[in-house]
Amino acid sequence: MARTFTKIGKQIAIAVKAGGPEPENNPTLRAIIANAKRENMPKDNIERAIKNALGKDQSDYKSMTYEGYGPHGVAVFVDTLTDNPTRTVADVRSVFNKFGGNLGTMGSLAFLFDHKCVFSFKMKDGLDMDSLILDLIDYGVEDEYDEDAEENSITIYGDPKSFGQIQHYLEEHGFEVVGAEFTYVPNDLKDVTPEQRETIDKMIERLEEFDDVQTVYTNMKPE
């Protein structure tokens, strides 16, 4: 949990540096705060992260993505936020090497993944999803969506370039956004054996131990 809060704190720092500390005037910060609440991050922690981001000695984090092949030919994307890219790439490369993988150049595996933005929001009474999707189609929102009856929420996927427009539309139309983020979705899933999956899972766990690492994506076929 502490590691998750640290990662969210870095996201808050970048959002505040880019758009200011007021959530009502900073849509990216609003989205991150929604994600933080979903992860049960205490309000005091969120406010402290915003305050720290305003400090003169606050480190400037950069978003860096590393990609390559892990064991058994599985493609791996590693999203990071770092104030020291030299350290981070060395850490990531060491894990790839340890598990017999190969870290590639930026963009070398982009063809295996689709970059998307993801929004989750609470279901509204009488909501017509077909009409909503039609309204959002100009923003690259896809026809397919996920419905979580237990959480009473809907998740939609769209063009990452339209993140701000999609968020603005949902907020303007009274939807309670409970999650907003960017993701990589594999378009070519790779079959693996249970033994191979175990090795790849260990590699992912090792990568996620680094504070700089935000999310690890693979094209490994789900169980």
Side-chain angles (χ1 to χ4, degrees):
M1 188 66 70
R3 184 172 289 115
T4 298
F5 292 169
T6 298
K7 293 179 179 181
I8 294 174
K10 290 184 178 181
Q11 296 171 11
I12 289 175
I14 287 182
V16 170
K17 291 288 186 182
E22 302 298 334
E24 59 269 26
N25 300 322
N26 188 336
T28 302
L29 181 58
R30 286 201 305 275
I32 294 170
I33 290 174
N35 291 340
K37 291 179 178 178
R38 186 176 59 183
E39 295 291 343
N40 297 315
M41 187 173 184
K43 182 180 178 181
D44 288 347
N45 291 45
I46 296 173
E47 293 176 348
R48 189 181 307 115
I50 294 174
K51 183 178 180 179
N52 289 342
L54 296 172
K56 293 182 179 179
D57 58 350
Q58 176 69 17
S59 297
D60 289 323
Y61 294 107
K62 297 180 180 179
S63 177
M64 303 289 293
T65 300
Y66 304 99
E67 54 200 273
Y69 284 102
H72 314 297
V74 169
V76 181
F77 257 55
V78 186
D79 254 356
T80 72
L81 287 178
T82 177
D83 59 351
N84 188 334
T86 301
R87 177 196 65 221
T88 304
V89 70
D91 289 340
V92 172
R93 181 178 286 111
S94 70
V95 176
F96 272 80
N97 291 341
K98 179 179 180 180
F99 285 87
N102 180 39
L103 190 62
T105 57
M106 187 175 295
S108 60
L109 301 185
F111 68 98
L112 291 174
F113 293 83
D114 295 321
H115 193 202
K116 300 180 181 182
C117 63
V118 185
F119 285 89
S120 297
F121 53 88
K122 291 294 185 181
M123 175 73 82
K124 292 170 61 175
D125 291 338
L127 175 63
D128 184 341
M129 281 303 299
D130 289 338
S131 296
L132 177 62
I133 296 298
L134 188 61
D135 288 344
L136 291 171
I137 197 168
D138 289 339
Y139 304 142
V141 171
E142 301 174 358
D143 292 337
E144 295 185 4
Y145 56 88
D146 298 324
E147 184 172 352
D148 189 330
E150 185 175 340
E151 295 292 332
N152 192 35
S153 65
I154 297 289
T155 299
I156 59 175
Y157 303 84
D159 185 340
K161 296 179 181 178
S162 299
F163 182 94
Q165 293 169 299
I166 297 171
Q167 181 180 7
H168 178 74
Y169 178 96
L170 293 173
E171 292 176 345
E172 285 291 301
H173 288 78
F175 289 96
E176 180 186 352
V177 177
V178 295
E181 59 187 352
F182 295 97
T183 189
Y184 288 92
V185 179
N187 55 46
D188 182 21
L189 295 174
K190 185 175 181 61
D191 284 310
V192 294
T193 66
E195 293 76 14
Q196 291 172 339
R197 182 181 303 278
E198 183 177 355
T199 300
I200 297 162
D201 285 342
K202 288 180 179 178
M203 177 183 178
I204 295 171
E205 290 174 7
R206 182 68 188 90
L207 286 167
E208 290 178 339
E209 289 178 1
F210 295 120
D211 287 340
D212 292 339
V213 172
Q214 294 287 301
T215 314
V216 181
Y217 306 94
T218 79
N219 69 338
M220 180 171 59
K221 190 172 183 178
E223 292 183 281

